[in-house]
Amino acid sequence: MSDSAHEKSNEGLTRRQLLLVGAAGLAMGSGLLLVPKRYFRMPQHAEAFVAKVDHYQLDVANAITRGIAELGVSPQALKGKRILLKPNLVETASGAPHINTHPLVLRGAIEAFLKLGASAVMVAEGPGHRRDTLAVYEESGLADVLTEDHIPFHDLNYITGYDLPNAGRQSRLKTLTFPGLFREVDWVVSVAKMKTHHWAGVTLSMKNLFGVMPGIYYGWPKNVLHRVGIENSILDINATLKPHFAIVDGIVGMEGDGPIMGDPKRVGVVVMGRNLAAVDATCCRIMGIDPYQVSYLERADNWLGPISEKSIEQRGETIAAVRTNFKLIETIPAHRSLRLA
Amino acid sequence: MAGRLGGALHIDSTAWGVLAFRASGGAHEVTEQLCTILVREQDGDGRVCMNRAHPGSYWPTPLAILAWQDSTASQVAQNRAVHFLLNTTGIHFPKSPTEPSAHDPNIKGWPWIEDTHSWVEPTAMCVMALRATGHGQHDRVREALRMILDRQLPHGGWNVGNTLVFGRELYPMPETTGAALVALAGEVDGSEVARSIDYLQGEVDRLRTPISLGWSLLGLSAWDRSPANGLALVERCLGNQDRYGSYDTSSLCLLTLGALADDSKAEKPLFRRLNSKSRPLVAAP
C-alpha cells in the first residue's frame, strides 16, 4: 500500500512491547540480557510445503492437493466444509500480471479443495486501491476462470460487517469489523502473491489479509489500518481472524518496488501451510530475505506461529533448492537489512 | 435502499438512488421518502455514516447532501451536513524532505474515514456537494480544488491519491479520474486537466464495469467530451451482469447517471458543468 507515510502511526508502546520490556528487565536481573528475546518464548512447531511449479499451465491443482495431504490435512477435515479463498487482487495494469495472485493458482486451489470433499468454494476480495472491485476481477483474468468454473466471487469492500474484539491488541483498535460473509464459511484461505513491499518489507499470506477488511469501514486504501500501523494491523487481523490455511503464488512473484511497481520474478514455487507465519517465513527464505528482519514476522514469532527455520518442518522442495534472491532497493527503508546471509 | 435486492439498508445506495431516480424523472414523492430515511439516519453533528455503529465512516455525507438538494423537507438536515463538512478534514501534516510520496500532504481535503488522510474521491464528492449548495467560494472548497490538482498524475489521471512513491509514478484509475474531473469542471482551465481527459478518453471504450464506466461518463460529460457510443457502453456494461451477477444498487444508479449525463431530455441533469457561483447541481423543480 502506498499511503502509509500519510497514515502515520500515532501508537506508542503496545501492551506486547511493554511485556517484552518487562521480560527484558527480568532477564537483566538474571544475567540473561544478551540472549535474544525469541528464546524467551515458548517453542512452537509448524510445517510448510514447497511445491515446484515452473509454469501456470502446469497442474497446479495436483501440487496443491499433494501439499494439503503432506501437511496432514485429512479428507475428513475438509469434508463438507465451505472454503473462502482470499486472493491478492491489487490493481491491474497491462503487462503487469505479477501484481495479482494468478487466476490459475486460484483454479488449482478450487479444484483441490473440491476434490478433497469441500462442499463449496468461493473467492472473495476487497482490494485496497481500486474502488471498482469488478474491474480488478475482470482485468486480472480471474473473471474468465471463475465464470467458466461456476465459482462465486464476492466483493468484500461493500459487505456489511460484524465486530469482533481485537484479539491481537497491537493497535489501538478495540474491535475489528469483518465481512458478514465470513460467518457463513468454515475455512478462510489466504491465497497470496510472493512480493516485496515498500512499506512492510514483504507481502505474503499474512499481509494479504488486509484485503478482507471492508472498505466501507476502513476506507481506500484501508486508511484506518495504515493509520494505526501496518505491522500492528497485520498482527491484529491475523490474531483475530485466525485463518486456516495459506497458499502463496511464487510461480512468478514481484521483486523491487512492490507491491505494485516492482518487476516480475520467476521462482517457480507454490508454498503452503496451516500456519501463516511459518509459511511467510519460509517464503522469505526462498526470497533470500531474513524473516527476523521483517518487523511483523519477528513480532509474530512464537505467538502467531514459529518463524525460526528449526521450528518449521520443511516438506516438498528444500529452501536451498528453490531459493532465488529477490531484488531489494536500498533507498527503501523497509528493504534495508532484509537480505538473508 | 438496500445494497442489493432484499438486503439491509445501505445509506450510500439510498443517496445514489435518490440522485438516479430524480435524474430519470422519477416521482418526487418517492425521492422525498428516501430523503426522509437519510434524515433519520443522520447523526446529531450532521454526519451521515455508513452505519451508526461506525461513526467514523462518514464518507456518505456529501452523497446525502446531493440527495437532499431537491428536498425542501430536508433543508435543515442538509445545512447540518454542510456545516459538518466545512468543519471536518482529514489528517494533514507538513511535507518532510525525506517523504517518499510526492504529493503535498498538507493541503486539506476530506478522508473516507475519520482520523485518516484525505484522498481524491471523498474530496471530489465533498467539493461537488459544497459547490451544489452554494459554497463553491468557501476556503475549504478552494483548498480542496488545489488538493485534487496536486494529486493529478504527471502522465494524466488520478488514483486514490498517490502520485509518485519512492520516485515511481503510480497507475491512474478511471473511477477516481472521472470523479476528480467532475469536481474540477468549471473551476480550472482545460489545459490543466487535458492529460487526464486524454487518459480517460483512451480508457472509456474498454471499460466494462459500472463504477469505472459510470464515473468516466460523468467526468467526460462535465468537460463536454462524452464519447459518441456512451449508451452502447452502458448497455454492454449492463449485459455483463450475466458474468458478474446482479450489480449492487449504488453501481446501477451511478451507471444510470452516467447514461443520462449527456441526455438533454433528462429531467434534471446531474453532474454537468458545475459552477462555483452557486448554480445548483440539481435544478429546482
Side-chain angles (χ1 to χ4, degrees):
Chain A
M1 305 278 178
S2 337
D3 65 324
S4 75
H6 310 293
E7 308 291 2
K8 291 178 191 297
S9 171
N10 56 2
E11 301 294 283
L13 273 179
T14 63
R15 186 189 66 88
R16 185 173 178 77
Q17 287 165 328
L18 282 170
L19 285 174
L20 289 171
V21 169
L26 285 173
M28 191 183 296
S30 58
L32 295 172
L33 186 62
L34 297 178
V35 182
K37 69 180 183 221
R38 76 186 72 147
Y39 295 113
F40 290 114
R41 296 172 178 172
M42 292 295 288
Q44 290 189 339
H45 181 83
E47 299 85 27
F49 179 81
V50 180
K52 193 97 179 72
V53 183
D54 286 330
H55 301 284
Y56 288 107
Q57 286 69 30
L58 295 176
D59 193 349
V60 181
N62 185 50
I64 293 175
T65 306
R66 192 161 65 88
I68 290 172
E70 293 226 16
L71 289 162
V73 180
S74 67
Q76 288 73 28
L78 288 170
K79 188 174 170 54
K81 293 287 192 294
R82 295 157 299 179
I83 311 287
L84 186 148
L85 304 179
K86 194 284 176 194
N88 184 216
L89 299 184
V90 185
E91 289 188 20
T92 55
S94 60
H98 51 293
I99 294 179
N100 306 307
T101 304
H102 198 284
L104 294 179
V105 170
L106 284 154
R107 171 174 276 169
I110 291 162
E111 285 180 24
F113 281 111
L114 288 174
K115 193 166 114 185
L116 290 168
S119 63
V121 180
M122 64 193 78
V123 179
E125 167 67 308
H129 289 204
R130 288 294 299 265
R131 269 239 302 126
D132 190 347
T133 303
L134 285 180
V136 191
Y137 174 53
E138 176 66 47
E139 292 165 17
S140 66
L142 185 57
D144 284 335
V145 167
L146 298 193
T147 303
E148 196 176 313
D149 294 352
H150 304 289
I151 296 294
F153 176 81
H154 299 276
D155 180 357
L156 297 177
N157 275 332
Y158 294 92
I159 294 180
T160 302
Y162 65 98
D163 291 349
L164 287 178
N166 178 1
R169 294 194 287 179
Q170 300 297 295
S171 74
R172 63 181 149 89
L173 300 175
K174 290 187 171 56
T175 60
L176 295 176
T177 306
F178 292 99
L181 179 67
F182 282 22
R183 286 177 151 161
E184 300 167 21
V185 300
D186 300 302
W187 271 39
V188 173
V189 180
S190 177
V191 191
K193 192 80 171 173
M194 187 179 282
K195 296 194 286 190
T196 51
H197 193 288
H198 60 205
W199 301 127
V202 291
T203 172
L204 299 159
S205 69
M206 291 177 70
K207 170 71 175 67
N208 181 39
L209 295 177
F210 258 45
V212 308
M213 311 307 280
I216 56 175
Y217 306 118
Y218 290 90
W220 288 263
K222 314 282 166 138
N223 314 144
V224 175
L225 304 179
H226 287 245
R227 177 73 183 145
V228 299
I230 292 178
E231 287 87 3
N232 293 336
S233 298
I234 294 170
L235 296 167
D236 284 347
I237 293 166
N238 279 271
T240 307
L241 183 62
K242 300 178 179 66
H244 300 79
F245 202 79
I247 300 171
V248 180
D249 169 11
I251 297 174
V252 178
M254 179 185 282
E255 65 178 3
D257 188 9
I260 299 168
M261 305 308 296
D263 302 317
K265 179 72 171 178
R266 183 171 291 279
V267 189
V269 296
V270 175
V271 185
M272 288 168 267
R274 289 196 282 186
N275 184 285
L276 275 67
V279 167
D280 287 3
T282 298
C283 288
C284 282
R285 292 188 173 96
I286 291 170
M287 299 161 80
I289 287 171
D290 181 354
Y292 281 104
Q293 297 300 320
V294 177
S295 166
Y296 67 88
L297 284 176
E298 192 274 338
R299 289 166 62 187
D301 186 29
N302 286 331
W303 166 40
L304 297 177
I307 69 166
S308 83
E309 203 165 0
K310 67 173 191 247
S311 300
I312 303 170
E313 188 177 323
Q314 209 65 57
R315 298 182 180 178
E317 303 293 329
T318 63
I319 289 170
V322 295
R323 176 172 166 175
T324 309
N325 284 1
F326 276 45
K327 184 170 66 189
L328 301 169
I329 298 178
E330 192 56 31
T331 52
I332 295 178
H335 284 197
R336 287 176 201 147
S337 310
L338 286 187
R339 181 65 73 213
L340 189 64
Chain B
M1 289 178 132
R4 287 186 185 279
L5 197 62
L9 173 74
H10 268 223
I11 294 301
D12 58 330
S13 301
T14 304
W16 279 115
V18 172
L19 296 173
F21 201 66
R22 185 183 295 147
S24 54
H28 186 67
E29 296 74 28
V30 175
T31 55
E32 278 298 302
Q33 283 175 13
L34 295 173
C35 286
T36 304
I37 292 171
L38 293 174
V39 172
R40 190 186 71 205
E41 295 296 319
Q42 186 179 34
D43 280 12
D45 66 358
R47 71 181 71 194
V48 182
C49 305
M50 272 306 285
N51 184 321
R52 279 266 175 88
H54 295 87
S57 63
Y58 59 65
W59 58 269
T61 305
L63 272 172
I65 291 173
L66 291 169
W68 288 328
Q69 183 68 355
D70 200 26
S71 167
T72 48
S74 308
Q75 291 312 297
V76 172
Q78 189 189 49
N79 289 339
R80 281 215 314 254
V82 166
H83 183 263
F84 173 77
L85 286 189
L86 290 175
N87 290 283
T88 303
T89 187
I91 300 291
H92 294 277
F93 43 90
K95 185 171 181 172
S96 80
T98 57
E99 180 64 54
S101 300
H103 76 264
D104 185 345
N106 215 20
I107 310 177
K108 290 193 181 96
W110 285 271
W112 286 102
I113 309 289
E114 189 165 35
D115 197 26
T116 62
H117 196 44
S118 295
W119 298 97
V120 170
E121 192 172 331
T123 299
M125 291 303 303
C126 290
V127 166
M128 290 176 216
L130 292 170
R131 289 179 63 188
T133 49
H135 297 84
Q137 295 303 319
H138 194 283
D139 287 347
R140 287 296 312 280
V141 175
R142 309 319 295 173
E143 185 170 6
L145 291 168
R146 274 202 302 123
M147 177 268 199
I148 294 171
L149 279 178
D150 179 66
R151 307 288 185 100
Q152 187 177 204
L153 289 158
H155 286 89
W158 282 264
N159 55 34
V160 285
N162 280 307
T163 51
L164 284 78
V165 179
F166 291 112
R168 298 285 297 270
E169 183 177 344
L170 302 179
Y171 300 120
M173 301 169 184
E175 62 271 30
T176 324
T177 302
L181 285 173
V182 173
L184 293 172
E187 292 289 352
V188 302
D189 189 82
S191 61
E192 291 195 67
V193 294
R195 64 187 190 272
S196 294
I197 293 172
D198 288 347
Y199 155 73
L200 208 49
Q201 284 188 303
E203 288 288 297
V204 70
D205 264 351
R206 69 169 193 84
L207 301 178
R208 287 169 161 72
T209 53
I211 295 178
S212 291
L213 181 60
W215 272 122
S216 295
L217 292 174
L218 289 166
L220 290 172
S221 171
W223 289 86
D224 295 328
R225 303 286 282 275
S226 295
N229 61 341
L231 284 179
L233 294 175
V234 169
E235 280 180 29
R236 181 179 71 183
C237 182
L238 286 169
N240 286 339
Q241 289 178 98
D242 293 342
R243 183 172 170 82
Y244 307 134
S246 301
Y247 295 146
D248 62 68
T249 306
S250 295
S251 296
L252 275 175
C253 292
L254 180 56
L255 197 58
T256 302
L257 292 168
L260 294 171
D262 243 29
D263 184 353
S264 59
K265 292 178 190 153
E267 285 288 314
K268 317 256 182 354
L270 281 172
F271 300 131
R272 292 175 74 90
R273 191 177 295 279
L274 291 167
N275 187 318
S276 62
K277 295 184 179 64
S278 312
R279 177 176 158 185
L281 187 65
V282 181

